[in-house]
């Protein structure tokens, strides 16, 4: 008898993937130019030239043995030192190479962190809307998930609702800002309030409550909006970082975990991270990519295209009568469905060959996610269709 749970997970693709696969079918049937696929969060701009140049240089100058060997399980010491230095100089946060663990992207960072901190029946709080895989990762780590909806219209944290859910069983809360799918960035004021509430509850229950800061979109912000660095505000923080989006490298699988030196017993916490990485087989992240990111820390793909797409889509949809969250970051637009059933709205959109994702899987009903990490031309061509689509509801 094989694992029923895993078989189920393997057979049931995520809704996002289902829609993307439907798009592949339609592209074959009617041609790629006639399908307006806004389903995936796959960066549509190339990695910065310096990334390609660095990879080439590494391949040409480092000996293959040096380049392709296993690194330390937690990552190359020089790479971790460079990242620690980057964190200290960029965010002014206390850091330590021996509290950094190199990973295969944010998904691995999250899975490792959750397995490091969760004991059976512990609770992990998810702020809706959230990346759907959080539920899979947290439950596999043995946690029970509790969902707290962010408040409209700005999608900041609803503190009254959050306080009601925090209990002695609360082990952590996943904070994703800039957010997939809302595009909201949590303000400094929100982070300060969150830290105060978690500190109060930790003292009241005599527990440690962790913030797991899922930060693959940290650098994808527009109009000079600031993204507070959570370790500067809350001690028990573990940052789950990924280079997937900032450097347009999602297929290369590279990121890191940073355990804040200010966390309670940070050495033990880091040991648990190393233990979880070992137990999950997430050791020695890809060496070529480790050496590459070391050379390009702080570099970002040219996100001006996303900014252009954001303005184009947000302004047009609002003009047509849609209600949307104005995104300050990431590359998603979260739009209120004109009918209560967002899945039904997405089905209707398919009639215009527009592929968008219902918010239900993100824990937020009545909204849809539109990924604007696509070609600007496709957005321009789709606008008339979006207009006709909402006119059906008049
Ligand atoms: N967290 C969020 C919020 C995401 O949107 C994604 C990917 O889209 C991930 C984590 C996983 O990122 P990675 O590709 O680095 O594993």
């Amino acid at each position: 008898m094989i694992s029923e749970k895993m078989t189920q997970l393997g057979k049931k693709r995520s809704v996002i993937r289902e829609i993307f696969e439907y798009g592949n079918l339609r592209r074959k049937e009617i041609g790629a130019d006639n399908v307006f696929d806004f389903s995936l969060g796959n960066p549509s701009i190339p990695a910065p030239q310096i990334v390609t140049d660095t990879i080439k240089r590494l391949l040409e100058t480092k000996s293959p043995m040096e380049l392709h060997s296993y690194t330390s399980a937690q990552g190359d010491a020089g790479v971790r030192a460079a990242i620690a230095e980057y964190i200290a100089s960029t965010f002014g946060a206390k850091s330590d190479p021996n509290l950094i663990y190199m990973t295969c992207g944010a998904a691995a960072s999250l899975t490792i962190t959750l397995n490091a901190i969760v004991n059976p029946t512990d609770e992990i709080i998810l702020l809706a809307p959230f990346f759907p895989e959080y539920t899979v990762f947290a439950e596999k780590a043995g946690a029970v998930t509790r969902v707290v909806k962010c408040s409209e219209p700005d999608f900041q944290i609803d503190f009254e609702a959050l306080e009601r859910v925090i209990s002695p069983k609360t082990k952590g809360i996943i904070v994703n800002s800039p957010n997939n799918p809302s595009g909201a960035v949590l303000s400094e004021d929100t982070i300060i309030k969150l830290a105060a509430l978690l500190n109060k509850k930790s003292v009241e229950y005599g527990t440690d409550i962790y913030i797991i800061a899922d930060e693959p979109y940290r650098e994808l912000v527009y109009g000079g909006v600031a993204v507070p660095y959570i370790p500067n505000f809350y001690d028990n923080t573990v940052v789950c970082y990924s280079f997937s989006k900032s450097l347009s490298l999602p297929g290369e699988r590279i990121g890191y975990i940073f355990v804040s030196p200010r966390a309670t017993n940070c050495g033990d916490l880091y040991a648990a991270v190393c233990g979880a990485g070992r137990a999950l087989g997430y050791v020695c992240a890809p060496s070529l990519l480790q050496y590459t990111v070391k050379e390009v820390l702080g570099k970002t793909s040219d996100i001006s295209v996303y900014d252009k797409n954001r303005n184009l889509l947000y302004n047009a949809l609002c003009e047509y009568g849609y209600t949307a969250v104005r995104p300050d970051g990431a590359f998603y637009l979260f739009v209120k469905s004109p009918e209560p059933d967002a899945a039904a709205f997405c089905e209707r959109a398919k009639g215009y060959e527009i592929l968008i994702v219902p918010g239900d899987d993100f824990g937020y009903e009545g909204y849809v996610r539109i990924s604007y990490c696509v070609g600007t031309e496709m957005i321009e061509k789709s606008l008339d269709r979006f207009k006709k689509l909402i006119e059906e509801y008049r």
Side-chain angles (χ1 to χ4, degrees):
M1 175 84 166
I2 55 173
S3 161
E4 245 176 79
K5 174 88 184 152
M6 291 303 130
T7 313
Q8 254 176 23
L9 273 176
K11 281 190 172 167
K12 191 179 168 286
R13 267 197 295 250
S14 78
V15 172
I16 304 171
R17 286 273 154 195
E18 286 291 347
I19 296 173
F20 179 70
E21 292 303 334
Y22 171 81
N24 281 338
L25 198 75
R26 288 305 280 157
R27 278 184 275 274
K28 273 195 201 131
E29 285 169 355
I30 60 171
D33 284 355
N34 300 311
V35 181
F36 302 89
D37 188 347
F38 296 96
S39 62
L40 280 192
N42 212 3
S44 57
I45 49 177
Q49 186 58 36
I50 190 172
V51 170
T52 317
D53 293 346
T54 304
I55 291 176
K56 278 189 191 156
R57 183 170 48 77
L58 286 169
L59 284 167
E60 282 163 9
T61 56
K62 270 203 176 213
S63 83
M65 281 311 292
E66 204 187 342
L67 194 56
H68 301 306
S69 292
Y70 288 125
T71 63
S72 298
Q74 66 271 39
D76 175 77
V79 174
R80 290 185 288 111
I83 292 174
E85 164 56 27
Y86 175 78
I87 290 172
S89 60
T90 308
F91 308 116
K94 216 175 146 199
S95 68
D96 181 341
N98 293 320
L99 295 176
I100 286 173
Y101 190 99
M102 301 305 295
T103 66
C104 296
S109 302
L110 287 162
T111 323
I112 293 172
T113 303
L114 286 163
N115 277 274
I117 64 173
V118 165
N119 287 301
T121 77
D122 281 349
E123 292 183 356
I124 293 291
I125 296 175
L126 308 180
L127 298 170
F130 54 81
F131 180 55
E133 297 301 286
Y134 289 168
T135 319
V136 179
F137 298 161
E139 287 175 2
K140 182 59 194 149
V144 175
T145 52
R146 304 293 307 273
V147 175
V148 175
K149 283 180 82 175
C150 285
S151 45
E152 297 176 48
D154 58 359
F155 283 72
Q156 298 290 307
I157 297 175
D158 176 345
F159 283 101
E160 280 177 22
L162 177 60
E163 184 156 7
R164 281 197 297 275
V165 164
I166 299 175
S167 78
K169 288 186 170 182
T170 305
K171 184 48 71 74
I173 174 168
I174 303 183
V175 173
N176 171 225
S177 168
N179 182 265
N180 171 10
S182 73
V185 173
L186 296 182
S187 67
E188 186 170 312
D189 189 40
T190 296
I191 298 299
I192 289 171
K193 275 194 200 147
L194 176 64
L197 176 61
L198 297 183
N199 280 328
K200 183 180 96 172
K201 289 292 175 183
S202 301
V203 170
E204 186 179 330
Y205 299 136
T207 55
D208 287 316
I209 303 176
Y210 297 94
I211 292 185
I212 301 156
D214 179 26
E215 303 211 329
Y217 301 98
R218 157 159 290 280
E219 292 81 10
L220 273 60
V221 279
Y222 314 104
V225 168
V227 184
Y229 198 62
I230 299 178
N232 288 340
F233 296 87
Y234 187 69
D235 290 350
N236 279 327
T237 298
V238 181
V239 176
C240 293
Y241 185 79
S242 165
F243 296 92
S244 292
K245 317 284 175 171
S246 60
L247 290 177
S248 303
L249 291 176
E252 301 297 347
R253 317 305 301 138
I254 190 75
Y256 63 82
I257 296 167
F258 165 52
V259 171
S260 172
R262 289 159 60 172
T264 318
N265 296 328
C266 61
D268 283 353
L269 178 56
Y270 183 68
V273 164
C274 295
R278 179 180 167 194
L280 294 164
Y282 277 137
V283 288
C284 316
S287 53
L288 173 61
L289 269 295
Q290 287 193 49
Y291 300 129
T292 303
V293 295
K294 175 182 178 224
E295 306 291 323
V296 301
L297 290 169
K299 298 282 188 288
T300 307
S301 299
D302 175 10
I303 62 168
S304 61
V305 177
Y306 298 149
D307 194 14
K308 186 173 172 195
N309 290 354
R310 171 184 81 116
N311 287 323
L312 179 65
L313 199 58
Y314 176 79
N315 292 339
L317 295 199
C318 291
E319 186 194 318
Y320 304 155
Y322 290 94
T323 305
V325 186
R326 186 175 168 77
D328 285 324
F331 39 46
Y332 308 102
L333 190 62
F334 208 43
V335 180
K336 205 169 181 133
S337 165
E339 58 183 302
D341 182 349
F345 173 60
C346 293
E347 278 305 309
R348 197 179 278 243
K350 278 185 185 170
Y352 293 87
E353 307 298 347
I354 290 176
L355 307 184
I356 50 181
V357 182
D360 304 51
D361 265 28
F362 298 90
Y364 217 100
E365 291 167 5
Y367 275 77
V368 296
R369 186 189 79 167
I370 304 179
S371 295
Y372 57 79
C373 46
V374 296
T376 308
E377 219 174 89
M378 186 182 102
I379 298 181
E380 282 162 352
K381 274 177 72 184
S382 73
L383 290 182
D384 195 43
R385 291 165 183 252
F386 275 111
K387 191 166 180 222
K388 289 190 177 126
L389 175 60
I390 197 161
E391 278 166 1
E392 286 195 21
Y393 292 89
R394 299 235 166 86

